[in-house]
Amino acid sequence: MHELSIALGIVKIAEDETAKVNAAKVTKIELEIGVLSGIEIESLNFVWESVVQDTVLERAEKEITVIEGRGKCIDCNTEFDMENIYDCCPKCNSNFKGILKGKELKVKALEVI
Amino acid sequence: MCGTCGCGTDGNGPTILKPGEHTHQAEHHHHHHDNHSHDHSHEHKHKVLEIEQDILQNNAVLAARNRGYFEAKNIFALNLVSSPGSGKTSILERTLTDLKDEIPFYVIEGDQQTLNDANRIDALDIPVIQINTGKGCHLESDMVYDAVKKLEIKNDAILMIENVGNLVCPSMFDLGESKRVVIISTTEGEDKPIKYPDMFHTSDICIINKIDLLPYVNIDVDKLKNYALQVNPKLLFFEVSATTGQGMEKWYKWLKENRINS
Ligand SMILES: Nc1nc2c(ncn2[C@@H]2O[C@H](COP(=O)(O)OP(=O)(O)OP(=O)(O)O)[C@@H](O)[C@H]2O)c(=O)[nH]1
Ligand SMILES: [Mg+2]
Ligand SMILES: [Zn+2]
C-alpha cells in the first residue's frame, strides 16, 4: 500500500508550502494523477482521512484530475491511448514505446488561508 | 490500517539495525476517525499556490544522492524485488557464498519485522544492515541513505539491497540503485508480469527462481517471459535454482561483467 507513503508525501508538501507563506491551513488541494502512475485513486482515498488528520490538510477539499495515458511507438511512430503500461502499438504490435502522458503524480495547487 | 497489505498510519519510523543491536518499539497510537464537515468559511482571504510539485520528488532527490555516492565509489548497487518468498535471500546466500572470495559484498535487508534475513547474511560473514519498515511495505531512498552511512562500504564493492517482499509498492521508489532485479519463482504463475506490471516495467533484470521445481508445477516459462517482455521488452532473464545452484553461473558472469562499468 504505497498509497499511504504517497499520502504522507502529499501532507509533507502541503505542510512545507503553507509554512513558507505563513498560511494556517489548506482549504483545497488539487492533485494530478496519471492512470499509468501506479497509484490506485480508491486506495489513496481510503487512507486519506486518517493521514490528513491533525495536519493542515485536515479539512481540505481534495480535487483529483486523472491524466489519461498516451504512448508513442518507437518502431512506427504511431501515437496511441494507453490504459495499461504494457499496452502495445495498435498498428504494428511493437512493445517498444515512449510514454508521453499518464505517469503524472503531482500536487498541482493548494488553496490556503 | 489498510486492507490491501497491512500498512497503517500509526507508523513508527523505520528502524535500522546491525545484527546484534537492539531496539525498543515505540508505542502504537490509534486514531479515531470523526466525520469532518467541510465548512468553507469565506471570511478569510484564500490564496492559491500553483506549486506543480512532483509527489515523489523527495524520494527522487535522495535517490540521486545515493546514486552519486555509488558512482563515485564505483559501487554496483542492486535493488532486489519480488513477492514474499520468491527466494531473494536464498539467491543472495548462494551468490555471496560462491563469490565472496572474489568480490567485496555488502547487504541491506528490508523487511517489515525481524532480523531473520540479516542474520542469514551475517552467518556468511558479510557486512549487513537490517531495515525494519514496520507497517511500511517498501524501502525508500532515505532509509537506504541512512543504512549506507552505517555500512561504510569500500570502493569497488557490490551492494545488494533486498527490498521488502511485495510485488507492488517498491516499484515506485527509486533507491539510487544501479540496476533493479525482479525475482519471480516458478510457483507463482506465468501471468504475474501483467498482473503486477509496474515492477516488471521498472526492472532491468528478471531472475526466474526455483527452476528445480519445474517438474512439479504447471508453469510455461516461455509464456512467463513473453508476458514480461510485453511489459518491458528490455528485460534480461536468468533461470536459476538457489537450492540446487542450477543456472547461477550465468548470473555470476553477468554480475562480474556489469559491476565494472556500473
Ligand atoms: N525448491 C526451491 N526452493 C527455494 C528456492 N529458493 C528459495 N527456496 C525456498 O523458498 C522459501 C523462501 O525463500 P527466501 O529466500 O526466504 O525468500 P525471500 O524472497 O527472501 O522471502 P522474503 O524475504 O520473506 O520476502 C524458503 O523456504 C527457501 O528454501 C529454489 O531455488 N528452489
Ligand atoms: Mg528475504
Ligand atoms: Zn508501431
Side-chain angles (χ1 to χ4, degrees), chain A residues 73 75-78 89 91-94:
Chain A
C73 177
D75 290 319
C76 78
N77 281 326
T78 304
C89 172
K91 200 168 159 201
C92 76
N93 286 326
S94 169

Side-chain angles (χ1 to χ4, degrees), chain B residues 66 80 158 196:
Chain B
N66 290 344
L80 307 183
I158 295 182
Y196 302 97

Side-chain angles (χ1 to χ4, degrees), chain B residues 7-41:
Chain B
C7 302
T9 51
D10 39 359
N12 318 312
T15 54
I16 299 176
L17 291 174
K18 287 184 183 167
E21 286 180 344
H22 292 282
T23 183
H24 297 281
Q25 286 286 348
E27 231 177 87
H28 287 223
H29 301 282
H30 292 279
H31 297 301
H32 292 281
H33 301 199
D34 298 311
N35 282 326
H36 309 141
S37 58
H38 291 262
D39 57 297
H40 296 286
S41 53

Side-chain angles (χ1 to χ4, degrees), chain B residues 78 179-183 200 203-207 232 234-238 251 254:
Chain B
L78 299 182
K179 298 280 181 195
R180 186 171 294 184
V181 181
V182 60
I183 295 158
F200 290 83
S203 292
D204 306 287
I205 304 295
C206 177
I207 297 184
N232 179 357
K234 292 181 194 141
L235 267 183
L236 183 63
F237 296 94
F238 295 97
W251 158 243
W254 180 86

Side-chain angles (χ1 to χ4, degrees), chain B residues 45-62:
Chain B
K45 257 221 175 101
H46 290 240
K47 186 169 164 186
V48 176
L49 313 173
E50 306 273 359
I51 60 170
E52 299 278 344
Q53 162 127 36
D54 193 321
I55 295 163
L56 288 171
Q57 187 164 305
N58 274 330
N59 188 72
V61 166
L62 263 186

Side-chain angles (χ1 to χ4, degrees), chain A residues 1-2 4-5 13 27 37 49-51 53 59 85-86 95-96 105-113, chain B residues 2 5 8-9 32-33 36-37 45-49 51-55 137-138 140 169 172 230 233:
Chain A
M1 185 70 149
H2 49 293
L4 177 73
S5 304
I13 290 169
T27 49
S37 69
E49 288 283 306
S50 62
V51 169
Q53 206 166 38
R59 278 157 204 279
I85 209 131
Y86 53 82
N95 286 317
F96 288 89
L105 196 51
K106 253 203 284 190
V107 180
K108 197 168 157 32
L110 296 166
E111 194 178 286
V112 300
I113 48 172
Chain B
C2 120
C5 72
T9 51
H32 292 281
H33 301 199
H36 309 141
S37 58
K45 257 221 175 101
H46 290 240
K47 186 169 164 186
V48 176
L49 313 173
I51 60 170
E52 299 278 344
Q53 162 127 36
D54 193 321
I55 295 163
C137 45
H138 57 269
E140 294 188 22
C169 311
M172 295 185 70
Q230 189 185 334

Side-chain angles (χ1 to χ4, degrees), chain A residues 26-54:
Chain A
V26 178
T27 49
K28 181 175 174 187
I29 180 163
E30 293 176 35
L31 305 174
E32 265 184 15
I33 300 182
V35 296
L36 308 174
S37 69
I39 287 296
E40 295 285 344
I41 292 174
E42 267 181 37
S43 305
L44 182 65
N45 289 339
F46 184 84
V47 297
W48 185 261
E49 288 283 306
S50 62
V51 169
V52 299
Q53 206 166 38
D54 303 324

